Amino acid sequence: MVPHLITALTGPINELEQRIIDSMPAIERWFRLEWMEHTPPFYSSVDIRNSGFKLAPVDTNLFPGNWNNLTDQMLPLAVQATMAAIEKICPEARNLLIIPENYNRNPSYLSNLAQLQRIFKMAGLNARLGSISPDIKKPTELKLPNGETVLLEPVIRTKRRIGLKHFDPCTILLNNDLSAGAPGILEELYEQYLLPPLHAGWSVRRKSRHFQSYEEVAKRFGKLLGIDHWLINPLFAKAEGLDFTEGANTGMDNLAAQVDALLTKVRRKYKEYGIKEKPFAIVKADNGTYGMGVMTVRDAKELDELTKKARNKMGIIKDGQMVQDVIIQEGVQTSERMHDAVAEPVVYTLDRYVVGGFYRMHPERGVDENLNAPGSSYVPLAFAHSTHMPQPGMHPGASAPNRFYMYGVIARLAMLSASYELEATNPDAEVYD
């Protein structure tokens, strides 16, 4: 199923697509050399926006859910990538423990866990679900919409390891983003591999740090291709020490100033490229997740008029965490539609490989709004061919594999940026003077 792109198939995005297809050997060699120096995050999902003149990632999730939205045709890619990743980490691995979100009983999330189990089992691992939630005190079977079940079992901590009753895993996979902080039961596990590491959780991670790394990667990649890196890089700024409670004004003047400065930069770029659209900014929690703590701002003056409801939505995110720091990101509108709904591609990676993805679409949201919100739905990306098999010689925009290869390149740039980011924030990294 190929999306209907309402953007005219001319202009910078097609020039970019053509440049990427023509440069495929150089691009693949560039990535290959990067992965010799850096370790990819174990898995990730990357939200991408295609405006017709710009293609850029707007979020990178290191604890991706929604694996259930990948089609059966995509599973072989995920299984092969899992095998490659596990061989590097723990070649003799037999048992793998998946740690899910503590209180999430959403049927879609449970289906995501079942899909992850399926992928790891097909990769030759005994994969079981171990909950660290206080309310799971005994093995608990939960039913899925398709009639299948998943079994959550309470995690048992010994002195240096965690596991389940009669189940000792070599590797622990977190599908829990640790928004409320790293629980003690997961700390000081010196004898097991923990993927992703604790410092990838939102209690440590910051979006602004990620996009700082992405900007560095985009500049180098832009130089490789001979393009303006702005075409693949959303400008950003950050504001700290905010208070979104009603009547409070702490940090709001600084936020307004940062929004105004960012919009001014974007206007300059629009003028340079002859773009007639009105720029906008997305303000979101710097450690946010699940699409919470996000708002669209078209003029800094709008911040003076935030309603109580808007402040409440911005002020508190997952697990009751207060928002004090935000990233202000150049808004990249989406010009893609599926079934008459605004849509954006989400690309999934495992190890250093693109393994699939889907379109997130929302019939009630505009082209300049966050689509990761209640009411969104998913349509698989048209990976009829591997994302690594573009079709040289095709007219830009005419080939779905070419468009999806381009998405895969952007997703891998974001994944590489995440590896830079995790290296920079690793508390166990050696520091040299």
Side-chain angles (χ1 to χ4, degrees):
M1 186 181 296
V2 180
H4 171 56
L5 303 179
I6 61 170
T7 308
L9 295 177
T10 56
I13 204 75
N14 281 338
E15 291 172 25
L16 175 63
E17 185 174 322
Q18 191 68 61
R19 188 71 61 92
I20 285 176
I21 298 304
D22 292 346
S23 305
M24 187 178 68
I27 289 171
E28 295 305 324
R29 178 178 181 274
W30 186 83
F31 276 120
R32 192 164 62 245
L33 294 176
E34 286 291 330
W35 295 130
M36 289 173 68
E37 300 290 331
H38 304 282
T39 303
F42 183 79
Y43 59 179
S44 71
S45 65
V46 183
D47 298 353
I48 296 171
R49 305 282 285 219
N50 176 3
S51 70
F53 55 82
K54 180 166 184 154
L55 184 73
V58 294
D59 224 341
T60 303
N61 186 355
L62 299 184
F63 300 88
N66 286 314
W67 287 90
N68 52 306
N69 290 314
L70 270 62
T71 63
D72 289 344
Q73 290 87 343
M74 296 175 189
L75 288 187
L77 287 173
V79 171
Q80 290 171 355
T82 299
M83 288 176 173
I86 295 296
E87 280 171 17
K88 288 192 298 188
I89 296 160
C90 183
E92 69 281 6
R94 179 180 298 145
N95 296 334
L96 178 133
L97 184 65
I98 301 171
I99 307 281
E101 295 281 345
N102 275 5
Y103 302 106
N104 196 336
R105 298 292 180 270
N106 183 297
S108 177
Y109 180 71
L110 297 176
S111 298
N112 152 73
L113 295 176
Q115 182 83 306
L116 278 173
Q117 268 191 297
R118 193 174 297 119
I119 290 168
F120 286 108
K121 284 180 178 177
M122 287 193 286
L125 294 163
N126 300 315
R128 285 163 70 173
L129 302 173
S131 177
I132 58 174
S133 173
D135 65 347
I136 299 292
K137 296 182 171 62
K138 61 180 182 180
T140 303
E141 197 171 71
L142 299 169
K143 200 166 226 183
L144 303 179
N146 62 3
E148 295 178 19
T149 60
V150 292
L151 182 67
L152 295 183
E153 301 177 73
V155 167
I156 299 168
R157 173 79 194 224
T158 58
K159 190 173 181 182
R160 300 169 72 86
R161 301 175 73 86
I162 63 171
L164 307 175
K165 190 175 182 181
H166 308 309
F167 185 78
D168 184 26
C170 146
T171 305
I172 316 297
L173 180 74
L174 290 176
N175 199 240
N176 178 327
D177 62 24
L178 309 178
S179 290
I185 195 170
L186 296 179
E187 294 181 332
E188 299 179 358
L189 296 176
Y190 298 121
E191 297 177 355
Q192 292 166 303
Y193 296 96
L194 187 65
L195 304 168
L198 292 181
H199 66 279
W202 283 121
S203 54
V204 175
R205 190 170 179 237
R206 295 293 178 268
K207 292 176 190 274
S208 54
R209 182 69 191 78
H210 174 75
F211 281 99
Q212 182 182 337
S213 296
Y214 184 82
E215 185 174 50
E216 178 186 341
V217 168
K219 283 179 179 176
R220 292 177 47 235
F221 187 77
K223 191 173 181 182
L224 173 76
L225 263 61
I227 62 167
D228 179 355
H229 73 276
W230 176 76
L231 294 172
I232 57 170
N233 176 45
L235 300 175
F236 78 97
K238 63 179 180 178
E240 300 173 325
L242 300 170
D243 185 347
F244 282 100
T245 55
E246 190 180 12
N249 196 39
T250 306
M252 297 302 285
D253 289 344
N254 178 43
L255 174 59
Q258 295 285 3
V259 167
D260 194 50
L262 183 80
L263 289 173
T264 299
K265 288 179 185 176
V266 178
R267 280 188 206 100
R268 283 198 207 107
K269 295 303 291 189
Y270 278 23
K271 187 175 181 182
E272 179 183 340
Y273 282 92
I275 296 162
K276 305 300 183 187
E277 311 287 345
K278 184 176 181 181
F280 63 99
I282 300 292
V283 178
K284 48 190 172 183
D286 209 8
N287 60 335
T289 182
Y290 280 97
M292 300 172 78
V294 181
M295 66 178 171
T296 301
V297 181
R298 298 167 188 82
D299 190 308
K301 292 175 185 172
E302 294 172 19
L303 296 169
D304 296 330
E305 302 157 6
L306 286 181
T307 64
K308 180 180 179 181
K309 183 180 178 182
R311 281 181 173 268
N312 287 342
K313 282 181 70 175
M314 280 303 300
I316 300 177
I317 53 172
K318 189 184 169 200
D319 292 337
Q321 300 296 302
M322 300 290 289
V323 175
Q324 295 180 308
D325 303 337
V326 298
I327 179 172
I328 303 118
Q329 195 174 61
E330 173 190 350
V332 183
Q333 70 176 41
T334 179
S335 292
E336 303 199 31
R337 287 183 175 270
M338 293 291 289
H339 309 318
D340 294 324
V342 173
E344 66 185 4
V346 183
V347 176
Y348 275 61
T349 69
L350 241 165
D351 193 59
R352 59 193 179 97
Y353 305 102
V354 171
V355 297
F358 51 79
Y359 279 94
R360 179 189 288 120
M361 59 184 192
H362 202 302
E364 297 170 15
R365 293 287 173 114
V367 296
D368 58 355
E369 292 183 289
N370 170 44
L371 303 186
N372 188 7
S376 61
S377 55
Y378 308 94
V379 175
L381 276 169
F383 285 155
H385 308 276
S386 165
T387 53
H388 293 279
M389 295 293 289
Q391 299 175 348
M394 292 290 285
H395 177 71
S399 162
N402 285 2
R403 180 60 46 92
F404 299 136
Y405 175 75
M406 187 164 71
Y407 292 162
V409 168
I410 297 299
R412 284 186 286 164
L413 291 175
M415 179 172 48
L416 179 60
S417 307
S419 72
Y420 282 32
E421 171 196 358
L422 292 178
E423 287 166 14
T425 57
N426 184 357
D428 298 322
E430 295 183 30
V431 179
Y432 298 96
D433 291 329

